[in-house]
Amino acid sequence: LAVGRKNEPGSVFKTVTLMSVLNDGFIKSLDETLPCAPGGHVEGTTINDKHIPEYAGSHHTKVISILDGFKISSNYVFATLAVKNYGTVKKGKKVSYERTERFIENIYTYKLGEAYDFDLDGMLTPTIPSPESRYWTNTDLGSIGFGYSTEETPMHILTFYNAIANKGRMMKPYLVEDIEEHGIVVDKRGPSVLNAAVCTKAVADTITRALKAVTEEGTAKRLKDAKCKVAGKTGTSFGTFENGQYSDASGRKKYQGTFVGFFPAEDPQYSVICAVYSKPTGKQFQGGGIPARAIKTLIDGLYNIDPYFQPTLEKAK
């Protein structure tokens, strides 16, 4: 399932949009704000986010920071960042897709658009739409900005987040370090680099700050009480039925709930992803629920057996 099943990743993809606007210099700080548009409407699209008027009302404000948008997983904020900075531009009677193509190129730079070699056969190639592949509007771009209209395997998403934990250095995942014959190494595989610098250390640190805020105050606050600090993001998306619809005749939906991140946040030792696929249900299903709880159980268990977490005389001093 980690390499052979792909689906819309949901809000875990918002981190991709965040990295893109930081790398390209469109934002300098997570404290920058966007106006809380009426109805959470993203200009130039058909996208609306009901959570924006709710946020504006409860916080008595007319603006929302990028950090707060990340914590509450606002579709409005990340669709707006995508459309504002990478949207189509009219040049006379023609439409230029140059900025949009830049965003798509960034996704491929982050290795989220290709199947790379892996120790198991069957890694699927992600689906990344573009103006070259279909009729295109800024609604498509905004949708990608918050994790829809694309398809990724869990392994692709995990590899991307691992690069953030690695301060921008993206490593290729592997299962077998080397193959030996009669005690002699005949095939050295081991660690190898997919991209030496998907972002700078400063950008990785900024994104890590946002990911920590998600687990401390946002949609994954179930992890706030884990045995160590966690940096990560939740995501929720829908599966389709045989008729291609997102719900059946009874209104039930199939969900994919995801949590992905790394820990300890201040000195990452592990990167982890949990993707849970639900049966048809009429209940709400979120990445901050079962997936986050599963990760907390894993972390608390590792904490008790990994020597890294155990006190030593040197640490005690």
Side-chain angles (χ1 to χ4, degrees):
L1 292 177
V3 299
R5 179 169 182 166
K6 63 180 181 179
N7 197 20
E8 290 177 316
S11 294
V12 295
F13 206 78
K14 287 171 180 166
T15 310
V16 178
T17 304
L18 181 60
M19 180 180 286
S20 190
V21 294
L22 285 167
N23 277 344
D24 289 339
F26 292 123
I27 65 170
K28 304 295 184 183
S29 168
L30 296 173
D31 299 317
E32 294 180 31
T33 60
L34 296 173
C36 291
H41 177 67
V42 179
E43 187 176 353
T45 76
T46 59
I47 298 170
N48 298 286
D49 183 353
K50 66 179 182 180
H51 298 106
I52 289 302
E54 293 172 1
Y55 174 90
S58 62
H59 289 78
H60 307 289
T61 182
K62 295 182 179 180
V63 298
I64 181 171
S65 71
I66 293 168
L67 181 60
D68 276 357
F70 197 74
K71 287 192 294 187
I72 68 172
S73 204
S74 166
N75 290 349
Y76 165 80
V77 168
F78 286 87
T80 298
L81 286 175
V83 173
K84 178 181 178 182
N85 297 299
Y86 301 105
T88 57
V89 177
K90 282 191 175 181
K91 292 185 176 180
K93 294 183 178 180
K94 294 184 177 181
V95 176
S96 171
Y97 297 103
E98 185 176 347
R99 299 198 312 167
T100 302
E101 289 166 355
R102 169 67 180 178
F103 183 60
I104 302 300
E105 287 172 4
N106 287 346
I107 293 173
Y108 279 89
T109 297
Y110 307 153
K111 302 301 180 183
L112 290 166
E114 64 185 62
Y116 39 79
D117 291 335
F118 187 58
D119 294 347
L120 297 177
D121 291 334
M123 176 175 278
L124 299 181
T125 300
T127 301
I128 308 295
S130 73
E132 295 180 353
S133 64
R134 70 183 194 192
Y135 175 76
W136 191 264
T137 70
N138 279 335
T139 298
D140 297 303
L141 175 63
S143 181
I144 293 174
F146 57 76
Y148 283 79
S149 300
T150 66
E151 291 181 327
E152 299 282 348
T153 73
M155 185 64 80
H156 281 89
I157 296 297
L158 178 59
T159 301
F160 173 75
Y161 276 78
N162 186 71
I164 300 168
N166 231 6
K167 305 300 182 185
R169 187 177 177 87
M170 179 173 282
M171 305 301 293
K172 188 177 82 169
Y174 67 94
L175 298 176
V176 177
E177 186 158 345
D178 58 59
I179 297 174
E180 299 180 4
E181 186 175 337
H182 305 300
I184 300 173
V185 176
V186 296
D187 185 5
K188 180 71 175 175
R189 299 186 178 185
S192 61
V193 178
L194 279 175
N195 187 327
V198 296
C199 66
T200 65
K201 179 180 180 299
V203 167
D205 287 343
T206 297
I207 295 174
T208 298
R209 176 193 168 201
L211 295 172
K212 287 171 64 178
V214 170
T215 62
E216 292 170 358
E217 307 172 78
T219 56
K221 57 188 176 184
R222 283 182 172 85
L223 285 161
K224 184 176 181 179
D225 297 327
K227 293 289 183 68
C228 66
K229 289 191 177 296
V230 185
K233 185 74 183 73
T234 61
T236 307
S237 60
F238 303 104
T240 58
F241 290 82
E242 291 181 0
N243 59 7
Q245 300 298 312
Y246 284 118
S247 60
D248 64 11
S250 301
R252 298 178 302 170
K253 296 181 178 180
K254 294 191 289 187
Y255 293 90
Q256 174 182 300
T258 305
F259 178 85
V260 60
F262 47 87
F263 60 94
E266 63 279 2
D267 182 27
Q269 301 297 308
Y270 294 93
S271 294
V272 63
I273 188 168
C274 177
V276 179
Y277 305 96
S278 81
K279 295 180 179 179
T281 177
K283 298 180 180 179
Q284 289 291 319
F285 190 93
Q286 304 292 334
I290 294 173
R293 291 202 303 269
I295 296 300
K296 183 178 184 299
T297 300
L298 173 70
I299 292 171
D300 291 349
L302 279 170
Y303 189 89
N304 292 327
I305 62 174
D306 189 328
Y308 172 86
F309 296 107
Q310 305 310 311
T312 64
L313 291 176
E314 185 177 349
K315 288 182 180 178
K317 291 179 182 179

